[in-house]
Amino acid sequence: MLKNVLGLILVLGPLSVAAQGVKPISVSYENLMRCFPELQDEKLSFKVDLNRLKDIADEKFVTSQSQLRQRKIHYLDAEKQAMNLILRTKFSGAKKVQTELILQQVDEKGVVTDVKLTENQRINPKQDTINNFLLNSVIKTDEYSYNDTKLNGVSASYMRNFKDVIEYELNDGPGGRSIVCENQKNLGIICTCSKK
């Protein structure tokens, strides 16, 4: 009789916990809480949503400056040739910004070949130049990478594909803690914490 009662407790125990509304917590969320407990949010506990994480981090750590590092557009041109259009921002001096355009052709095997551009097309390109490359194209991905300088020595960097954040990193320089979260296709959102 005692064995039957213990067996029922072992079988029904987890079901009663689930019925009480206790949610499992993901390892990524545990790592996030280990480094940045101030970003606690119940909606992130089961599955970390990088868009929500970025919004919460922006509320807790105010951004003083946001800079676009790179934009990479993977597209099919009018002839259905796979292409990459990359805009890289370089900062030199106080507020001097230079944008470099890189155009790449991608073959069926994924081999990338740079397309030669004139200096006027390559350095600080005009919007018309960019538009001409994208004319009648089908955009597959549009990734933006940003660096955010926040107050009190905190910094963040993130990558967005269209509207979805696909990578997020938050560093607290004075505290020596950092969290890196990325969307890995087969595994979902993985967050790792490091502390000094």
Side-chain angles (χ1 to χ4, degrees):
M1 177 74 177
L2 183 60
K3 287 183 181 179
N4 290 341
V5 171
L6 287 175
L8 279 173
I9 290 172
L10 289 174
V11 171
L12 298 177
L15 294 175
S16 68
V17 169
Q20 292 172 10
V22 177
K23 294 181 182 178
I25 295 176
S26 73
V27 173
S28 288
Y29 185 70
E30 287 176 351
N31 287 336
L32 180 61
M33 291 300 96
R34 192 177 2 255
C35 266
F36 289 94
E38 58 265 59
L39 301 179
Q40 182 177 359
D41 185 321
E42 188 177 307
K43 291 180 180 175
L44 297 176
S45 65
F46 181 66
K47 182 182 176 190
V48 175
D49 177 331
L50 295 182
N51 289 337
R52 183 158 180 81
L53 175 60
K54 181 191 175 307
D55 290 344
I56 293 166
D58 287 347
E59 286 176 18
K60 298 288 181 183
F61 304 105
V62 178
T63 301
S64 61
Q65 184 178 16
S66 186
Q67 296 174 327
L68 176 67
R69 289 182 315 186
Q70 178 174 290
R71 180 178 182 192
K72 180 179 178 181
I73 303 169
H74 178 67
Y75 67 99
L76 299 177
D77 67 10
E79 286 83 39
K80 304 300 180 212
Q81 168 66 52
M83 303 289 289
N84 291 329
L85 185 144
I86 302 169
L87 294 167
R88 286 197 182 126
T89 306
K90 295 180 181 179
F91 301 92
S92 57
K95 292 187 178 183
K96 201 171 185 180
V97 178
Q98 178 179 307
T99 304
E100 179 184 15
L101 172 75
I102 300 164
L103 193 65
Q104 299 173 329
Q105 198 170 37
V106 184
D107 72 10
E108 310 82 44
K109 295 179 183 176
V111 177
V112 175
T113 307
D114 286 347
V115 175
K116 188 145 176 77
L117 301 173
T118 67
E119 180 134 353
N120 287 340
Q121 290 174 318
R122 196 172 56 79
I123 304 298
N124 295 325
K126 294 187 166 110
Q127 187 63 49
D128 289 346
T129 303
I130 297 167
N131 292 346
N132 283 338
F133 288 123
L134 298 174
L135 189 65
N136 296 323
S137 67
V138 176
I139 296 176
K140 297 292 190 178
T141 62
D142 190 358
E143 297 176 347
Y144 294 80
S145 299
Y146 288 91
N147 280 338
D148 283 358
T149 304
K150 297 179 176 290
L151 302 179
N152 303 322
V154 177
S155 64
S157 63
Y158 63 96
M159 183 183 291
R160 192 183 291 277
N161 184 17
F162 295 107
K163 293 188 177 186
D164 293 326
V165 176
I166 56 175
E167 289 180 15
Y168 189 79
E169 182 175 350
L170 186 66
N171 295 293
D172 179 3
R177 55 192 178 146
S178 69
I179 189 82
V180 176
C181 297
E182 58 185 327
N183 189 352
Q184 296 184 358
K185 291 179 183 174
N186 298 331
L187 302 172
I189 306 296
I190 303 295
C191 295
T192 54
C193 165
S194 64
K195 291 182 177 182
K196 290 182 184 174

